[in-house]
Amino acid sequence: MARQLVALLSLWAACSGQRLDAVKPFGKGQADGHYQMESLNRGVVAVKVDGGVYVGWRMFGYEYDPASPGNIAYNLYRDGGKIAQVADSTNYLDAKGGSSSTYSVRAVIGGVEQEDSGITKVWAEDYLRIPLDVPPAGVTPGSPTCETPNEGYTYDANDGSVGDLDGDGEYEIVLKWSPQNAKDNSQSGCTGNVYLDAYKLSGTLLWRIDLGVNIRAGASYTQFLVYDFDGDGKAEVAMKTAPGTKDGQGHYLHTGPAAIDDDSADYRSVDNAAGMTGYILTGPEYLTVFAGATGAELATLPFDVPRGDVAAWGDSYGNRVDLFLASVGFVSDQGAGKAASGRPSLLMARGYAARSTLTAWNWREGQLTEIWKFDSDDYTDPNVSYAGQGAHSMAVADVDGDGAQEIIYGAATIDSDGTGKCSTNLGHGDALHVGDLVPSHPGIEVFLPHESTSGPVFDVHDANTCEIITAGPVTGSNTTRGVSDDVSPKWDGAEAWTNNSGGVLSATTGAVDDSKATPSLNFLIYWDADESRELEDGTSITKYGGDTLQSCAECASNNGSKATPVLTADLFGDWREEIIWRETGSAALRIYTTTDVTARRLFTLMHDPQYRMQVSSEQTAFNQPPHPSFHLGGGMADPPKPDIHVK
């Protein structure tokens, strides 16, 4: 009967022009779960390696069943002929495969073979190369507005994010272009325009958005969100905009307040309160939602929270007022906890070094609406105690298990309904890691280094109560970098370390590992065959205390000394992550995938609601790696089945 249904659907798809794998006839669990996740294709990847061809593919979250793991297997086909049934993993080394081979995968559920994944060719290199359309070089205006008039500048590919923009089950890449005269918030001077591009994995440019002269370029300014907010199967793109912004169709913004603004206006300051130029401290500010498939403007509203008195944010010249963060999140949008819809919302934040604000928005049925707002300046409630607790990033996680996600705002946790939940009151920090870092402790934990010289260099605390679990030493020095995850089997759970922690410490007990030098202080990635996470820094991936596993000599990292990649995420293949680096000169992106065969079988991490939402905020300000909602590391237990449905 199942094969007959597939045949009928195939005939319908051929007649209607629809893709079969978008039909999803065998959707057990697809419509039953709480959280709205993406309907992805099988994501088959094949790479020529020594000894054959490595092949990897996705297990969907709704296929995963830890109670009956034998209920699902995968048939692997080479050149149309079945070569293996794989029941213990989602990857395979085909010793007889070659560069000209083609592969497809079919799930076998309860003994019944499901639809075919479609044909995948073997990569020509050990990476997928995506050619880029570099924006033309620019010149700063020859006027008093800019300190360096007539300065030339070029563009580098910068931070990226992903979403299924056209509904075909495959991720597209949304890429921010940063001019080489981009400025930190503390720096004076004009910058070039910021552009956002959307690319197919084939390299096809779908659209380009020009944010215009009234959006400054720098890591803290433009935080863009990519997700299917309205559940129509196609992702939207949202970000802060201003007069002069052009959408992906080349049109100035024209809805809401943008319908009556002056797109020729230049609001860059000639001389602000501190005698610095190039800041944009006057003029309209907007929040705009764009269609992912075309880049066309869908809706524009005034950005909330507005600037108001610039000095109220902690300085008079425009640094702290323009510290922005953003994430997608499953918050309480129509009731507390699981009474929430389980549909994604936009989370836009302004300020975190002093005044801190956070606003939740919904994009539903063609309408952009504000749900709730948190403001530490609201003196009618305890919010004032949350000022100055933020970090240069934020992350979401359901920390109380009620079916709606909270926002970890540095040292503070904001509840899913926009009220303050708790704070350690240890203050601002740079890095932020949120996951199941201490498996022996129930729930989700937070690792946060601290810039304060009077307290511990970092703490690990309970995300729900803000109770301190362990803390680093008090050194009296500023902590600028820090990392935490399970990178070593020495202890149960995660390790934690900073630039001044005196080594690698157990996140559970604070014990120090004296056996190895302090590793890199940058990014993390799931890469090799075991469950421990690997270290990423610059353009290389290394094992804790060991060898380099992957590198790209022809590539460059992003964001100066932060040396971050364009993106790390589980983009295709099995549950392990891919990494995107830009080539030096930004002629192309390169996506590298692991080719180590692993016996660990997991569903795609992109069907874990916490991990997927943290991928959406990975590009924000000081980029941070995403963490799943369960302990993924040495000695791990099988995670629970994700409570999801797909759109």
Side-chain angles (χ1 to χ4, degrees):
M1 181 64 184
R3 291 183 182 275
Q4 292 173 340
L5 181 56
V6 170
L8 288 171
L9 286 166
S10 298
L11 178 61
W12 171 82
C15 295
S16 64
Q18 300 293 315
R19 294 175 64 253
L20 177 57
D21 62 3
V23 177
K24 307 284 186 190
F26 301 99
K28 183 178 180 181
Q30 289 185 61
D32 300 333
H34 178 57
Y35 294 106
Q36 175 198 307
M37 306 301 290
E38 295 153 308
S39 182
L40 302 171
N41 63 21
R42 191 60 71 182
V44 181
V45 62
V47 183
K48 184 71 179 74
V49 296
D50 292 341
V53 173
Y54 168 88
V55 187
W57 58 90
R58 289 188 180 105
M59 170 186 277
F60 304 130
Y62 52 82
E63 290 176 336
Y64 173 73
D65 185 0
S68 303
N71 191 49
I72 183 167
Y74 298 93
N75 287 341
L76 177 62
Y77 290 79
R78 182 206 323 120
D79 302 328
K82 179 180 171 182
I83 60 171
Q85 183 171 103
V86 181
D88 60 354
S89 73
T90 50
N91 58 176
Y92 186 81
L93 178 61
D94 178 18
K96 296 182 179 180
S99 299
S100 61
S101 300
T102 61
Y103 293 89
S104 64
V105 174
R106 301 176 187 176
V108 181
I109 300 176
V112 179
E113 187 177 74
Q114 311 295 301
E115 68 268 30
D116 191 82
S117 64
I119 299 299
T120 295
K121 296 181 179 180
V122 177
W123 286 6
E125 307 284 350
D126 63 348
Y127 56 85
L128 180 64
R129 187 176 189 268
I130 302 175
L132 299 176
D133 183 4
V134 183
V139 178
T140 55
S143 71
T145 300
C146 299
E147 292 176 336
T148 53
N150 302 311
E151 174 193 36
Y153 58 88
T154 57
Y155 281 85
D156 292 325
N158 191 248
D159 298 334
S161 196
V162 294
D164 182 4
L165 302 181
D166 53 13
D168 66 354
E170 179 179 83
Y171 282 125
E172 282 76 44
I173 298 172
V174 178
L175 177 71
K176 181 173 75 173
W177 288 98
S178 180
Q180 291 181 337
N181 62 357
K183 304 294 182 185
D184 182 81
N185 293 50
S186 63
Q187 298 173 343
S188 180
C190 293
T191 73
N193 290 12
V194 176
Y195 299 100
L196 263 80
D197 286 358
Y199 290 92
K200 299 283 292 180
L201 295 184
S202 63
T204 299
L205 175 63
L206 296 178
W207 47 257
R208 171 168 291 167
I209 292 171
D210 178 357
L211 289 177
V213 300
N214 295 311
I215 295 292
R216 209 166 186 239
S220 296
Y221 294 104
T222 295
Q223 326 303 347
F224 57 99
L225 299 179
V226 185
Y227 204 74
D228 178 11
F229 293 106
D230 59 4
D232 68 351
K234 298 181 181 180
E236 291 78 37
V237 180
M239 72 202 80
K240 183 175 179 284
T241 58
T245 295
K246 291 182 179 179
D247 71 7
Q249 300 296 299
H251 305 307
Y252 287 116
L253 302 182
H254 61 277
T255 68
I260 56 173
D261 66 13
D262 180 2
D263 287 309
S264 66
D266 186 340
Y267 293 102
R268 290 177 290 192
S269 62
V270 176
D271 188 0
N272 69 12
M276 302 172 77
T277 66
Y279 286 77
I280 303 160
L281 303 178
T282 60
E285 301 177 281
Y286 307 140
L287 174 62
T288 300
V289 177
F290 300 90
T294 65
E297 176 194 7
L298 296 175
T300 296
L301 288 179
F303 189 89
D304 199 9
V305 175
R307 300 182 191 95
D309 178 9
V310 170
W313 297 88
D315 60 62
S316 61
Y317 69 98
N319 178 354
R320 294 179 174 182
V321 68
D322 275 357
L323 295 172
F324 296 100
L325 302 171
S327 183
V328 186
F330 297 104
V331 298
S332 296
D333 58 347
Q334 62 184 33
K338 208 164 184 176
S341 69
R343 301 175 69 184
S345 300
L346 298 78
L347 302 172
M348 307 299 294
R350 181 175 214 153
Y352 43 82
R355 181 186 179 188
S356 300
T357 69
L358 176 65
T359 310
W361 302 77
N362 275 350
W363 172 249
R364 307 277 193 269
E365 298 177 353
Q367 298 294 317
L368 182 61
T369 57
E370 187 172 314
I371 313 169
W372 51 253
K373 178 167 58 179
F374 173 90
D375 189 346
S376 67
D377 258 14
D378 186 350
Y379 290 93
T380 63
D381 58 31
N383 286 7
V384 67
S385 64
Y386 289 80
Q389 301 301 311
H392 289 281
S393 61
M394 69 180 186
V396 303
D398 181 5
V399 305
D400 52 17
D402 69 352
Q405 292 178 326
E406 282 68 44
I407 300 91
I408 291 77
Y409 210 75
T413 299
I414 309 302
D415 212 339
S416 61
D417 62 358
T419 60
K421 193 173 185 68
C422 65
S423 175
T424 67
N425 294 310
L426 290 175
H428 168 71
D430 280 359
L432 179 70
H433 294 255
V434 178
D436 189 4
L437 306 178
V438 184
S440 60
H441 180 275
I444 299 297
E445 293 79 40
V446 178
F447 164 81
L448 180 69
H450 298 288
E451 288 190 1
S452 171
T453 58
S454 61
V457 298
F458 74 84
D459 79 90
V460 177
H461 65 264
D462 185 308
N464 185 38
T465 66
C466 294
E467 175 188 3
I468 304 297
I469 297 171
T470 190
V474 178
T475 65
S477 59
N478 179 29
T479 308
T480 58
R481 300 286 180 87
V483 180
S484 183
D485 209 343
D486 190 352
V487 298
S488 168
K490 182 167 184 174
W491 296 296
D492 292 336
E495 288 70 46
W497 64 100
T498 68
N499 61 295
N500 53 1
S501 60
V504 175
L505 286 68
S506 165
T508 303
T509 66
V512 180
D513 185 358
D514 295 321
S515 64
K516 295 183 176 67
T518 302
S520 60
L521 289 152
N522 191 16
F523 243 62
L524 299 162
I525 189 168
Y526 296 111
W527 190 259
D528 65 7
D530 63 28
E531 294 95 342
S532 296
R533 217 164 189 186
E534 281 63 58
L535 310 169
E536 193 280 336
D537 187 33
T539 59
S540 65
I541 297 169
T542 58
K543 193 74 177 170
Y544 173 60
D547 298 331
T548 297
L549 305 178
Q550 182 70 62
S551 63
C552 177
E554 301 81 21
C555 296
S557 59
N558 290 335
N559 302 313
S561 64
K562 299 295 186 290
T564 51
V566 173
L567 186 72
T568 61
D570 180 12
L571 301 178
F572 36 65
D574 65 15
W575 57 271
R576 291 168 298 174
E577 296 172 298
E578 281 66 45
I579 188 164
I580 306 179
W581 286 310
R582 65 179 174 95
E583 291 183 355
T584 304
S586 296
L589 300 177
R590 294 188 183 185
I591 306 181
Y592 287 85
T593 190
T594 184
T595 56
D596 287 355
V597 175
T598 179
R600 165 58 69 180
R601 188 171 79 160
L602 288 174
F603 58 89
T604 173
L605 297 184
M606 297 298 252
H607 276 175
D608 177 70
Q610 176 176 306
Y611 178 91
R612 181 62 184 94
M613 296 302 97
Q614 291 191 19
V615 168
S616 78
S617 60
E618 184 181 333
Q619 46 73 34
T620 294
F622 291 3
N623 308 17
Q624 300 293 295
H627 293 262
S629 62
F630 54 89
H631 171 57
L632 178 44
M636 65 176 291
D638 289 335
K641 185 182 181 72
D643 186 11
I644 66 170
H645 67 278
V646 300
K647 285 285 191 178

